[in-house]
Amino acid sequence: MSDALFATLQQLLGAAHVHSSDEAAQYLTDKQGRYTGQVIAAVHPANTEEVAAVVRACVALKAPIVVQGGNTGLMAGATPDASGRSVLLLLDRMNRVRQVDTDNDTLTVEAGCILQHVQDVARAAGRLFPLSLGAEGSCTIGGNLGTNAGGTAVLRYGNTRELTLGLEVVTAEGEIWHGLRGLRKDNTGYDLRDLYIGSEGTLGIITAATLKLFPQPLAQATALLAFDQLAQAVAFLSHARAGFGANLTAFELLSADCLALLREQFPDGPQPFKGASQPWFALIELSDNHGEQHAREAFERVLGEAFEQALIADALIAESLAQSEALWLLRENMSEAQKRAGRNMKHDISVPISQVVAFVAHTDAVLQQHFPGVRNFTFGHLGDGNLHYNVAHPLDSTVEAHMAQYAELSAMVHDSAHAHGGSISAEHGIGQRKVGMLGRYKSAVELDLMRRIKQALDPHNLLNPGKVLEVQP
Ligand SMILES: Cc1cc2nc3c(=O)[nH]c(=O)nc-3n(C[C@H](O)[C@H](O)[C@H](O)COP(=O)(O)OP(=O)(O)OC[C@H]3O[C@@H](n4cnc5c(N)ncnc54)[C@H](O)[C@@H]3O)c2cc1C
C-alpha cells in the first residue's frame, strides 16, 4: 500500500515534492522534542487542487493525513504517530497573498504564509494584522487557524477566530469548500468556519483564509507596573479597562520569580525593578489612534488615579520605542529563559479573571503540600484570564525526578483550573499531549457532540487521528 501511495503522490505533485520518512526527518519531531513519528511520505503541494488530490489519494488507500505548518505548536498536534502509515502534508509552497482589500479591510492569504509575513503585508498596505506571538517568525496562518492561536493582543483584537472572516478548506473527502467570504455579517446557517478554526487538522485542511485588518495605531505607550499583591493587578486591570477602553491592547503578567529568572538567564538583557520587593509585575500596552500626546495623557491620567487608589505600587513608563522594545523583550524571552534553566512543567490554563487570585493561591498551596519546594514561574495574558502556570523542580531535586511526576502534578493544576471555572488549554490546543485529559473535564454530552461532529466531517477518521479526540475505530 505504501509504495503504491508514494508512487501516486509523486505522479500528482512531481517527485521533487514528495519525500520519504528519512528525507523528512526534520518535520517528524514536535517542537519540544517529546514525540517522533514516521510517515509513508511528506508532501509539499503547490495549490489547493493539489491538496485535494493528495487527500483523495490518501482516502482511497485509507492513509491518515497529518497537516503541519511551522511545527511551533506546543501540543505535538502536527507530529504524525510512529506507525508509519500517515502522509504528512506541508503547506510551505502555499504562501501566496491572494488579495489585499483596503476598502473591506481584509487580507486573503494561503495557509502556508508565515505570520510575520502577513503582518508585514498588512503594514505595507497601511493596516495592522494584530495577531502577535513569540513564534511569529516561523508559525503559519494555517497553524494559527488550526490552533485558534491567541498571543499578546487578544485583549483588544481577539483570538485568531475573531480575526477570521472566511476560509477555504479541503474536506476529509478531498472536496474544496470555497468559503473565503469577506463578510462581517452572514447568518446563513451553521458556521462551518468556526468549526474548522481550532480543530487542529482533525476536521479539514485549511488552505487559505480571509483575515480582518485594522487601522495602524498612531501611537503606542508601554509600561511595566509593580504590584504588592496579585489581587492589586486584577483590580488595576479593571481600572485600566475602564480608563483606556478598547485602547488597552496588552496586559501581560510576570511574577517576581519570572523577572529573576530573566535576569539570571539574560544577564545582558533589560533589568527593570532590580532589587524591588513586589511579587507581581505587569507589562501593559496602549494603542492610540489620536497620537503620542493623547496616549501619554491617557497614561498619566489612568496611572495617576491608580497610584491614588493604591492599585499599583510602582511604574516604569517607556520613554522611547527602544525602551518599549526592551520591556517587551522581557515577555518575549520568557520561553527561552525557561528552556535555558532546564525543563519545567507547562500549563496553559485559563480561568475567569475574577478567579485568577483564588486559582493561584489554591494551586500554589496544593502543590507545596504535595510537592514541597517546587518553584512556580507564573506569567501570561492576565487580560484574557490565561496564565502560563509553569512549575520547575525543587532546588534540592533534579529535573528528571520532577518531570517523572508530571501526570500527578499536572492533574492537580488542571483540576484546580477546572474547579475555578477554567479550561485546561487556553490557547495551545489539545494535540496529542492532552488528548487523554479531555474525558476528565468535559461532560459526556459535550464529548459526544464533538465525536458526532468528527464522525460527520471525517467519517473514516483519517484527518490527524489521535489528536484532540480519542475516536474508537
Ligand atoms: C516561542 C513560542 C511562543 C508561542 N506563543 C504562543 C502564544 O502566545 N499564543 C499561542 O496561541 N500560541 C503560542 N505558541 C504556540 C504556537 O506557535 C501556535 O500554536 C501556532 O499557532 C502554531 O502554528 P504552526 O504553523 O507552527 O502550527 P503547527 O505546529 O505546524 O500545527 C499546529 C496544529 O495546527 C494544525 N494545522 C497546521 N496547519 C493547518 C492547516 N493548514 N489546516 C488545519 N490545521 C492545521 C496541525 O495539524 C496541528 O494540529 C508559541 C510557540 C512558541 C514556540
Side-chain angles (χ1 to χ4, degrees):
M1 181 272 257
S2 56
D3 288 348
L5 183 55
F6 196 88
T8 305
L9 294 169
Q10 282 187 320
Q11 269 171 15
L12 289 172
L13 306 187
H17 305 302
V18 180
H19 298 114
S20 67
S21 225
D22 285 349
E23 290 165 339
Q26 59 175 309
Y27 304 111
L28 299 181
T29 296
D30 72 294
K31 174 80 188 160
Q32 291 169 317
R34 290 197 172 95
Y35 300 83
T36 297
Q38 291 285 312
V39 288
I40 292 174
V43 300
H44 301 257
N47 54 47
T48 306
E49 288 69 29
E50 286 192 1
V51 173
V54 168
V55 170
R56 288 195 297 272
C58 291
V59 171
L61 292 174
K62 298 276 179 287
I65 303 150
V66 179
V67 57
Q68 185 178 105
N71 198 20
T72 69
L74 300 174
M75 292 295 118
T79 308
D81 66 24
S83 69
R85 293 173 52 243
S86 313
V87 167
L88 185 65
L89 201 53
L90 299 155
L91 302 188
D92 49 331
R93 293 172 70 211
M94 293 187 57
N95 57 4
R96 284 164 289 252
V97 175
R98 293 200 191 160
Q99 192 191 30
V100 182
D101 181 344
T102 47
D103 285 340
N104 198 38
D105 271 331
T106 50
L107 181 63
T108 298
V109 296
E110 292 184 343
C113 281
I114 300 290
L115 172 56
Q116 203 166 60
H117 178 59
V118 176
Q119 296 166 345
D120 291 344
V121 171
R123 195 176 304 113
R127 298 290 188 276
L128 172 76
F129 180 61
L131 183 64
S132 176
L133 44 118
E136 62 199 21
S138 44
C139 66
T140 62
I141 287 296
N144 302 149
L145 289 156
T147 57
N148 184 27
T152 50
V154 173
L155 182 59
R156 175 164 181 175
Y157 298 101
N159 293 300
T160 305
R161 186 187 301 287
E162 281 86 46
L163 300 174
T164 308
L165 293 178
L167 292 182
E168 179 185 87
V169 175
V170 170
T171 71
E173 309 281 1
E175 304 143 317
I176 301 171
W177 173 49
H178 297 281
L180 287 175
R181 299 175 189 132
L183 301 177
R184 285 169 174 79
K185 287 190 162 184
D186 178 19
N187 282 350
T188 51
Y190 308 131
D191 200 328
L192 298 178
R193 177 194 60 196
D194 278 354
L195 268 185
Y196 287 115
I197 297 173
S199 68
E200 302 184 49
T202 64
L203 299 181
I205 313 293
I206 297 167
T207 48
T210 298
L211 306 167
K212 284 188 202 169
L213 296 177
F214 295 83
Q216 281 277 2
L218 289 179
Q220 273 162 331
T222 313
L224 186 66
L225 310 176
F227 301 96
D228 289 325
Q229 299 162 23
L230 186 52
Q232 230 186 9
V234 172
F236 174 73
L237 170 62
S238 228
H239 174 77
R241 293 185 78 144
F244 295 132
N247 286 352
L248 182 63
T249 310
F251 198 111
E252 297 290 310
L253 185 75
L254 289 160
S255 70
D257 289 331
C258 290
L259 280 191
L261 182 75
L262 286 160
R263 269 182 223 117
E264 184 186 301
Q265 298 301 329
F266 292 92
D268 298 329
Q271 309 269 324
F273 289 120
K274 202 172 175 179
S277 60
Q278 287 83 15
W280 294 99
F281 298 85
L283 181 63
I284 66 163
E285 186 159 283
L286 182 70
S287 308
D288 196 304
N289 286 50
H290 300 285
E292 295 282 346
Q293 171 89 0
H294 192 261
R296 179 148 290 276
E297 281 169 11
F299 238 43
E300 282 168 9
R301 177 175 48 82
V302 173
L303 295 187
E305 288 163 2
F307 270 119
E308 278 168 25
Q309 294 170 32
L311 291 178
I312 46 182
D314 207 348
L316 190 69
I317 300 175
E319 298 292 342
S320 64
L321 186 62
Q323 281 184 8
S324 166
E325 284 170 358
L327 291 181
W328 269 108
L329 200 58
L330 294 166
R331 177 64 183 83
E332 285 155 13
N333 282 343
M334 264 314 293
S335 283
E336 182 58 26
Q338 293 171 92
K339 202 163 147 191
R340 291 184 185 182
R343 284 175 71 190
N344 66 25
M345 293 189 204
K346 301 198 188 323
H347 306 97
D348 165 42
I349 63 90
S350 62
V351 291
I353 294 166
S354 49
Q355 292 294 310
V356 165
V357 174
F359 164 80
V360 171
H362 174 79
T363 318
D364 285 3
V366 167
L367 294 193
Q368 286 307 323
Q369 189 189 341
H370 290 88
F371 306 96
V374 289
R375 293 165 303 137
N376 290 92
F377 292 100
T378 303
F379 63 101
H381 318 293
L382 182 66
D384 315 322
N386 173 193
L387 297 180
H388 299 311
Y389 186 91
N390 298 348
V391 187
H393 65 93
L395 286 173
D396 60 359
S397 174
T398 61
V399 173
E400 290 70 27
H402 176 62
M403 294 310 285
Q405 298 172 314
Y406 177 77
E408 208 184 337
L409 190 153
S410 284
M412 287 180 194
V413 176
H414 291 145
D415 284 356
S416 177
H418 184 67
H420 288 88
S423 164
I424 64 160
S425 184
E427 59 175 8
H428 294 162
I430 297 297
Q432 52 185 314
R433 286 205 61 204
K434 289 188 176 169
V435 74
M437 300 179 189
L438 277 196
R440 191 174 166 100
Y441 303 107
K442 289 212 184 264
S443 69
V445 172
E446 194 170 354
L447 278 175
D448 183 48
L449 287 169
M450 284 172 66
R451 287 209 177 89
R452 285 199 255 167
I453 290 168
K454 170 75 173 166
Q455 167 69 27
L457 295 185
D458 179 21
H460 308 297
N461 189 26
L462 291 179
L463 292 186
N464 217 0
K467 315 291 168 53
V468 183
L469 274 179
E470 282 165 325
V471 176
Q472 302 308 323

